[in-house]
């Protein structure tokens, strides 16, 4: 794996449950890994005991002053602070590229056969996968790119992601980044959606590559991290952050079949610029 790249695992309050670390090594990622922990985490010493020099501690309060949280709460139990700390940490480590991951991923997988039909198969050569994703990212003008999430493929080949192999303008959960293409996540909660919608409105390119996906533990079943915040406020409050940042294209609505919940909805026709075909050029 190239030496100017590292994986950053963003974690808080669960030094004995960093599932992603084990998954990366099990699926044969051999490159650098750093665990980003904030200085308000009471379990910092346990992280250091378990992972040694791979633990990096950042000043959460200092980072909170560098971006718009979207509210005036004093609550800081969310991942957005770690996300925004990554660029400076990467520069200090002498890295050019990094991949942000949460701490609860159980596996990474390919999602399509060579004939482009839907089929999941776990990847056992993560070095090659990450190199390929990075090569693609470097070759295009995107601000960041992400892997799909397993939830995107509910319904398998009949799902919105599974029936067609195409890039999507969303970008969540995992982020391939370049220190020369910096950006800020915004909003204390729902920071990934807030950011790809707001930046998309401004013309920045955020993309999900559906060829590969990550699987993670169900939200609110893995204690610590963001789970406690979601249990406190649910998805109702979470979804409204995106409406505040982008009211012209974001709203809330019901999601689910029998067990419905509030979730954000994005109108992409109102959210991002379009490229018109040359046939419509004025003479």
């Amino acid at each position: 794996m190239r030496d100017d790249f590292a994986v950053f695992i963003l974690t808080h309050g669960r030094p004995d449950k960093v599932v992603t670390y084990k998954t990366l090594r099990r699926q044969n990622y051999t490159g650098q890994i750093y665990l980003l922990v904030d200085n308000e985490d009471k379990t910092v010493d346990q992280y250091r005991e378990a992972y040694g020099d791979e633990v990096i501690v950042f000043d959460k309060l200092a980072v909170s002053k560098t971006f718009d949280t979207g509210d005036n709460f004093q609550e800081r139990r969310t991942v957005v602070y770690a996300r925004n700390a990554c660029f400076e940490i990467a520069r200090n480590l002498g890295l050019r590229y990094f991949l942000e991951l949460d701490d609860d991923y159980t596996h990474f997988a390919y999602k399509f056969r060579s004939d482009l039909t839907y089929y999941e198969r776990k990847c056992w050569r993560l070095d090659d996968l990450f190199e390929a994703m990075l090569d693609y990212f470097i070759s295009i003008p995107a601000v960041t790119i992400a892997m799909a999430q397993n939830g995107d493929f509910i319904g398998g080949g009949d799902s919105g992601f599974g029936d067609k192999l195409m890039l999507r303008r969303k970008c969540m959960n995992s982020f391939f980044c370049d220190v020369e293409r910096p950006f800020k996540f915004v909003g204390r909660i729902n920071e990934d959606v807030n950011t790809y919608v707001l930046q998309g409105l401004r013309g920045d390119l955020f993309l999900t590559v559906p060829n590969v996906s990550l699987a993670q533990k169900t939200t609110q079943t893995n204690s610590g991290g963001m789970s406690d915040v979601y249990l406190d406020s649910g998805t109702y409050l979470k979804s409204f952050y995106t409406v505040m940042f982008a009211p012209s294209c974001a709203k809330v609505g019901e999601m689910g079949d029998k067990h419905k919940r509030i979730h954000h909805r994005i109108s992409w026709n109102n959210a991002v610029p379009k490229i018109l075909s040359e046939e419509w050029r004025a003479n």
Side-chain angles (χ1 to χ4, degrees):
M1 195 70 207
R2 54 192 299 163
D3 59 9
D4 62 348
F5 170 83
V7 170
F8 290 163
I9 301 176
L10 316 184
T11 183
H12 178 97
R14 43 192 186 201
D16 57 338
K17 298 178 182 178
V18 187
V19 179
T20 301
Y21 189 99
K22 296 177 181 178
T23 299
L24 288 168
R25 293 310 190 199
R26 186 176 67 251
Q27 295 191 231
N28 297 306
Y29 170 70
T30 64
Q32 301 177 81
I33 300 176
Y34 294 99
L35 279 68
L36 270 58
V37 183
D38 65 85
N39 62 343
E40 297 177 8
D41 190 332
K42 296 179 181 179
T43 64
V44 168
D45 290 340
Q46 289 96 305
Y47 276 108
R48 285 175 168 152
E49 183 178 345
Y51 296 97
D53 293 339
E54 292 179 306
V55 176
I56 295 178
V57 180
F58 69 92
D59 188 330
K60 203 171 194 179
L61 179 60
V63 172
S64 73
K65 300 176 181 179
T66 66
F67 69 97
D68 185 0
T69 60
D71 60 35
N72 58 4
F73 304 154
Q74 298 304 308
E75 172 61 65
R76 290 195 293 270
R77 288 181 299 164
T78 65
V79 73
V80 66
Y81 308 95
R83 294 211 189 284
N84 283 325
C86 285
F87 283 96
E88 182 177 358
I89 291 170
R91 291 189 193 95
N92 292 339
L93 291 171
L95 301 171
R96 174 65 188 271
Y97 306 102
F98 59 91
L99 170 60
E100 292 187 17
L101 298 178
D102 291 347
D103 63 3
D104 58 351
Y105 302 150
T106 57
H107 70 263
F108 299 86
Y110 299 111
K111 304 303 287 191
F112 292 87
R113 299 183 180 91
S114 59
D115 64 359
L116 305 187
T117 56
Y118 174 80
Y119 177 73
E120 178 174 297
R121 186 178 184 87
K122 288 184 181 179
C123 172
W124 298 107
R125 296 168 59 180
L126 279 186
D127 281 359
D128 292 343
L129 173 57
F130 289 172
E131 289 271 13
M133 290 282 291
L134 192 57
D135 287 345
Y136 175 63
F137 172 53
I138 292 170
S139 72
I140 63 174
V143 174
T144 182
I145 63 173
M147 291 173 276
Q149 302 168 93
N150 257 18
D152 294 323
F153 296 92
I154 294 175
D158 294 324
S159 66
F161 270 60
D163 66 348
K164 188 181 296 184
L165 184 59
M166 60 181 291
L167 297 170
R168 312 292 171 141
R169 290 296 294 260
K170 61 182 285 190
C171 195
M172 301 176 67
N173 218 275
S174 62
F175 301 89
F176 283 86
C177 298
D178 177 353
V179 296
E180 299 299 325
R181 308 182 203 179
F183 64 96
K184 291 287 186 182
F185 288 90
V186 294
R188 186 174 61 91
I189 306 176
N190 221 29
E191 80 293 333
D192 43 13
V193 183
N194 304 336
T195 303
Y196 72 66
V197 174
L198 184 61
Q199 295 298 113
L201 282 165
R202 296 170 176 172
D204 286 334
L205 194 59
F206 284 64
L207 296 173
T208 287
V209 179
N211 309 58
V212 292
S213 74
L214 54 87
Q216 61 191 132
K217 287 182 173 291
T218 304
T219 302
Q220 301 179 15
T221 64
N222 197 22
S223 60
M226 289 284 290
S227 297
D228 296 337
V229 175
Y230 290 142
L231 287 171
D232 287 346
S233 62
T235 56
Y236 180 85
L237 178 62
K238 173 178 180 283
S239 299
F240 263 102
Y241 274 79
T242 305
V243 177
M244 288 192 296
F245 279 102
S248 64
C249 60
K251 64 180 182 179
V252 296
E254 288 186 334
M255 179 182 182
D257 183 13
K258 295 180 180 178
H259 303 286
K260 297 184 182 298
R261 61 188 177 97
I262 295 295
H263 200 264
H264 62 263
R265 290 184 179 176
I266 308 301
S267 173
W268 288 105
N269 283 333
N270 304 94
V272 295
K274 309 293 192 302
I275 299 175
L276 295 177
S277 170
E278 285 291 324
E279 67 179 295
W280 304 114
R281 178 188 292 271
N283 294 325

